[in-house]
Amino acid sequence: MQLCLGTVQFGMDYGVFNQPKKDPDYCIECLDYAAQNGINAIDTAAAYGIAEKITGEFLARKTVPREQLFISTKALPNLLDDCEESSYSRVIQNNIEKSLKTLHTDYVDVYFLHSSRYALIPEILEALHTVKEKGLARNVGVSVYDPDEACACCASPFVNYLQIPYSIFDHRMKESKIFDKADFSECNIDVRTVFVKGLIRLKEAEVPEHLAKAKPILKKLDRLCKDTGFSRIDLAMGYIKREKQVNHLVFGIRTLEQLKEDMASFQKDIPESVFEAIDKEFSEIEADLVVPSLWKK
């Protein structure tokens, strides 16, 4: 498994409190530091504000050879909602070509659909596959939210990549045997939402009222941290790292210092007994807490 630096925080206001994005030059500095220090994967999307543009400016500087990098991006959400089936391939190709121009590259390593419900429409998945056939993407997949969407992708002959939510608080994919299905179908997996949009980083006093039911869960996590000597970030990353079927752990950062801390956390070895405790303590947390798109303010 490798780390993959997510860029949504670079391109738009993001997080539990929609924290303002950083200066583009600072974001490029973070990307370059990551690439120079062993993180060769970058995840972005057309919908992440100016994130594709920032990633493209980093690639254009060529401080790291393109062939040494793994770049994934995503189509615009709802891209095909008003399209006839006969137009799916053309619209998807036009969309990826715009992204490639912005990214200053002639291919991406993975091109994801950003509307997870498209995973349930076989005709769209078949159309997506055409950008792989044309060499515009080396892999194609869907960024999904729910296990049924992930299962549909695993069953499709036209999809060979998944990006799924999975964290110490969100066990839905594992409980639905998605890792086993992906391994059997040779569908690659990247994991996102590891820090639950920054919720795992918050102190109790910082948790907003609409997420108040997270407070006792975070307290429980802090007790586990105290008992084991590991930080929240150590445990959040280690929990994903144990899954051998996962190719990339996609994570976001606010600062270069945070990037360095996260990289150090990823290197730590954590006993399996700690993860067994996590599986037991956080096995049935409601989806409206662990899936940020369901948060109600």
Side-chain angles (χ1 to χ4, degrees):
M1 184 188 304
Q2 296 181 325
L3 289 175
C4 175
L5 186 56
T7 61
V8 61
Q9 293 95 332
F10 294 165
M12 59 192 292
D13 299 347
Y14 188 75
V16 175
F17 302 107
N18 284 325
Q19 294 169 294
K21 61 182 179 293
K22 296 286 187 179
D23 176 80
D25 286 336
Y26 183 80
C27 297
I28 292 172
E29 180 185 352
C30 291
L31 287 169
D32 190 55
Y33 180 89
Q36 299 286 352
N37 289 275
I39 298 179
N40 71 345
I42 300 169
D43 178 70
T44 190
Y48 292 168
I50 61 171
E52 274 193 337
K53 183 174 185 293
I54 288 171
T55 304
E57 290 178 1
F58 162 68
L59 293 178
R61 297 187 184 189
K62 299 181 179 179
T63 55
V64 177
R66 171 66 183 92
E67 60 272 15
Q68 293 181 14
L69 297 170
F70 186 99
I71 308 297
S72 57
T73 193
K74 305 177 187 73
L76 284 169
N78 311 316
L79 179 69
L80 304 172
D81 283 8
D82 299 320
C83 294
E84 298 290 335
E85 182 180 333
S86 59
S87 300
Y88 287 166
S89 295
R90 175 179 54 81
V91 172
I92 292 171
Q93 182 172 336
N94 288 344
N95 203 250
I96 191 174
E97 287 175 344
K98 288 179 182 178
S99 288
L100 293 177
K101 184 176 181 180
T102 303
L103 289 167
H104 297 285
T105 185
D106 56 4
Y107 73 95
V108 289
D109 295 276
V110 191
Y111 192 60
F112 290 108
L113 295 175
H114 212 163
S115 293
S116 61
R117 54 197 164 83
Y118 289 164
L120 304 177
I121 305 175
E123 294 79 9
I124 290 181
L125 299 182
E126 184 174 1
L128 174 67
H129 189 256
T130 61
V131 300
K132 181 180 178 182
E133 293 177 330
K134 293 178 181 294
L136 301 175
R138 292 186 171 174
N139 302 277
V140 293
V142 186
S143 177
V144 302
Y145 285 94
D146 297 319
D148 61 335
E149 297 162 346
C151 287
C153 289
C154 291
S156 172
F158 302 111
V159 173
N160 64 322
Y161 239 96
L162 276 173
Q163 192 177 99
I164 65 171
Y166 183 54
S167 70
I168 55 176
F169 294 160
D170 183 1
H171 303 173
R172 295 171 301 135
M173 293 294 176
K174 185 169 184 176
E175 291 169 352
S176 299
K177 309 295 184 183
I178 296 304
F179 296 124
D180 296 336
K181 289 182 174 68
D183 191 43
F184 178 76
S185 66
E186 298 184 354
C187 191
N188 301 284
I189 293 180
D190 285 358
V191 165
R192 69 171 193 278
T193 325
V194 175
F195 302 141
V196 197
K197 203 175 181 179
L199 178 63
I200 282 179
R201 297 186 186 274
L202 297 185
K203 298 176 182 177
E204 181 180 355
E206 297 173 327
V207 176
E209 185 58 35
H210 69 281
L211 295 174
K213 64 182 179 181
K215 291 183 179 181
I217 297 170
L218 290 173
K219 281 185 178 180
K220 192 182 295 186
L221 179 60
D222 284 338
R223 287 197 296 270
L224 187 60
C225 290
K226 184 178 180 180
D227 291 342
T228 63
F230 293 105
S231 72
R232 290 184 184 181
I233 301 304
D234 294 343
L235 297 181
M237 292 188 128
Y239 189 75
I240 309 304
K241 186 180 175 182
R242 72 198 279 239
E243 301 295 347
K244 304 304 181 185
Q245 296 92 332
V246 175
N247 280 17
H248 296 102
L249 184 160
V250 183
F251 72 111
I253 52 100
R254 293 288 306 160
T255 65
L256 184 57
E257 291 70 26
Q258 197 175 81
L259 171 61
K260 294 175 182 178
E261 291 169 1
D262 291 351
M263 291 170 66
S265 285
F266 185 71
Q267 297 303 320
K268 294 184 179 180
D269 292 322
I270 300 174
E272 180 63 22
S273 59
V274 176
F275 301 130
E276 291 172 356
I278 290 173
D279 283 332
K280 180 179 179 181
E281 293 289 346
F282 306 113
S283 62
E284 297 182 355
I285 298 176
E286 296 176 1
D288 63 354
L289 180 60
V290 297
V291 181
S293 62
L294 299 179
W295 288 352
K296 296 179 181 180
K297 296 184 179 181

